[in-house]
Amino acid sequence: MPIPDFQTIMRPLLAAHEDGNEHINRDLVGKLADQFNLTEEERREMLPSGGARLFDNRVAWAKTHISQAGLLDSPRRAVSVITERGRHVLQEYPERVDLRVLGTFEDYREFRNRKRTRDDASEGDDDAPESQTPEESLENAYLKVRQQIESELLSLIMDNPPDFLERVVVDLVVRMGYGGSRKDAGEALGRSGDEGIDGIIKEDPLGLDIIYLQAKRWEGTVGRPEIQKFAGALQGQRARKGIFITTSGFSAEALSYVSMIDSKIILIDGARLAKLMFDHGIGVSSASTYDVKKIDSDYFAES
């Protein structure tokens, strides 16, 4: 089943406290994962940034909301226990507890009002469906911006002269730690002229091993014959490693072929090229930086 959103987790989380005992956060996460029949892969799924597990994050925010409504109390750090109000809510709402239910309590409404500013608040905000935690909303917005920029990067490469891709490749491999200096990489690329090879790049600063490159703009899918030609050129140079970069994509036959040959050939399609450019700051610059903080629980822990 899909990983439940944080509102769906609220009532099961509250019900897990019904025995009146104190519960440790990490134990609750495992218990709820079992209750929702999550697979190991779903339990390990991360937020887009990789900073935290998705399900753990949703459980934490479900607990934050129901605690702010006075349904759970925290006698000490990372421990929670149900309140009388929490028991009443379990009886009153046997099917689901969500933001609408929590909104019936004044202290929770005060909590919600503290979270928003008057400028971006509206009367209907409490009735709006919410399925994402704040971290998810922030990271998904970031991903949308990133995807748009990556798409624009490919379009700009295609709009420039064919040799512009060579410049991109030079800058990228040097930024990634290959090619020695930019001057060395720039001189190597486009100089070889051997069949199927566009350039030679040092794998390490000392040049103990080299990588052969093929960097071509392509309109259609790159098929197996082009990769075979490149592999043959590597054999002609007694080379073991190569990188084939294209602005389009590779056929299934091409991908299968490189997995069966002795030479190590890395295929980088347009989508991956754009991601690498984004990650290594090629053709992009920082516009805004947001320092997202979290509570330092140790600071508030009992001494």
Side-chain angles (χ1 to χ4, degrees):
M1 65 171 293
I3 298 177
D5 61 65
F6 80 98
Q7 290 196 74
T8 302
I9 293 172
M10 286 182 180
R11 194 185 190 285
L13 174 59
L14 188 60
H17 293 78
E18 196 170 11
D19 57 10
N21 297 326
E22 295 183 350
H23 291 269
I24 302 173
N25 288 352
R26 63 176 177 271
D27 294 337
L28 289 169
V29 171
K31 182 176 181 179
L32 290 167
D34 291 338
Q35 184 173 339
F36 286 107
N37 297 316
L38 298 185
T39 65
E40 284 302 316
E41 183 178 0
E42 290 168 336
R43 295 170 194 236
R44 293 193 301 267
E45 184 176 338
M46 306 294 287
L47 289 165
S49 67
R53 291 184 177 180
L54 177 61
F55 184 68
D56 294 30
N57 177 259
R58 291 181 177 179
V59 172
W61 275 102
K63 182 181 176 184
T64 294
H65 282 272
I66 60 179
S67 296
Q68 290 292 337
L71 310 187
L72 291 180
D73 191 19
S74 183
R76 59 185 183 278
R77 184 165 63 92
V79 173
S80 53
V81 63
I82 196 169
T83 64
E84 284 303 316
R85 179 184 288 181
R87 293 184 183 279
H88 172 75
V89 167
L90 283 177
Q91 296 176 355
E92 188 75 16
Y93 301 94
E95 299 297 327
R96 179 179 172 88
V97 174
D98 53 24
L99 297 182
R100 295 175 187 271
V101 173
L102 303 186
T104 61
F105 300 105
E106 182 178 355
D107 41 3
Y108 180 76
R109 292 195 297 272
E110 291 176 356
F111 161 70
R112 294 283 286 180
N113 289 335
R114 291 196 302 270
K115 286 183 61 181
R116 63 166 68 99
T117 65
R118 292 182 179 181
D119 291 337
D120 61 10
S122 64
E123 261 185 41
D125 278 348
D126 279 329
D127 294 328
E130 296 187 32
S131 59
Q132 296 183 336
T133 67
E135 287 90 348
E136 289 178 82
S137 297
L138 180 62
E139 294 192 16
N140 286 330
Y142 165 79
L143 285 178
K144 288 181 180 178
V145 173
R146 175 175 178 140
Q147 289 165 359
Q148 180 181 354
I149 291 174
E150 289 175 358
S151 177
E152 291 178 7
L153 284 173
L154 283 180
S155 297
L156 289 170
I157 290 175
M158 296 301 294
D159 289 341
N160 274 275
D163 60 355
F164 182 79
L165 178 59
E166 295 181 359
R167 173 185 165 187
V168 169
V169 171
V170 167
D171 289 340
L172 180 59
V173 296
V174 171
R175 189 67 61 85
M176 294 175 69
Y178 300 99
S181 68
R182 190 186 189 286
K183 181 176 181 294
D184 292 339
E187 289 179 350
L189 193 65
R191 188 185 63 184
S192 174
D194 292 324
E195 50 191 57
I197 294 177
D198 287 334
I200 303 170
I201 297 293
K202 296 177 184 177
E203 184 176 15
D204 58 88
L206 296 178
L208 296 175
D209 205 351
I210 57 176
I211 300 172
Y212 287 76
L213 295 174
Q214 172 81 273
K216 298 293 185 184
R217 295 198 317 180
W218 232 276
E219 294 292 345
T221 301
V222 179
R224 174 170 172 163
E226 291 295 333
I227 307 303
Q228 284 181 304
K229 180 181 177 182
F230 182 52
L234 292 183
Q235 291 178 354
Q237 297 293 324
R238 296 184 178 180
R240 298 175 300 153
K241 301 175 183 178
I243 302 176
F244 195 113
I245 302 173
T246 180
T247 50
S248 59
F250 298 97
S251 68
E253 292 78 9
L255 294 170
S256 175
Y257 173 74
V258 297
S259 67
M260 298 185 298
I261 60 177
D262 293 332
S263 299
K264 182 65 174 179
I265 297 179
I266 301 298
L267 303 182
I268 298 179
D269 60 15
R272 187 177 180 189
L273 173 62
K275 290 181 185 298
L276 289 171
M277 291 176 65
F278 189 100
D279 289 336
H280 294 278
I282 305 299
V284 298
S285 59
S286 295
S288 303
T289 300
Y290 301 93
D291 187 11
V292 180
K293 299 183 183 297
K294 65 178 182 179
I295 294 295
D296 181 359
S297 300
D298 292 336
Y299 181 84
F300 297 95
E302 296 177 356
S303 58

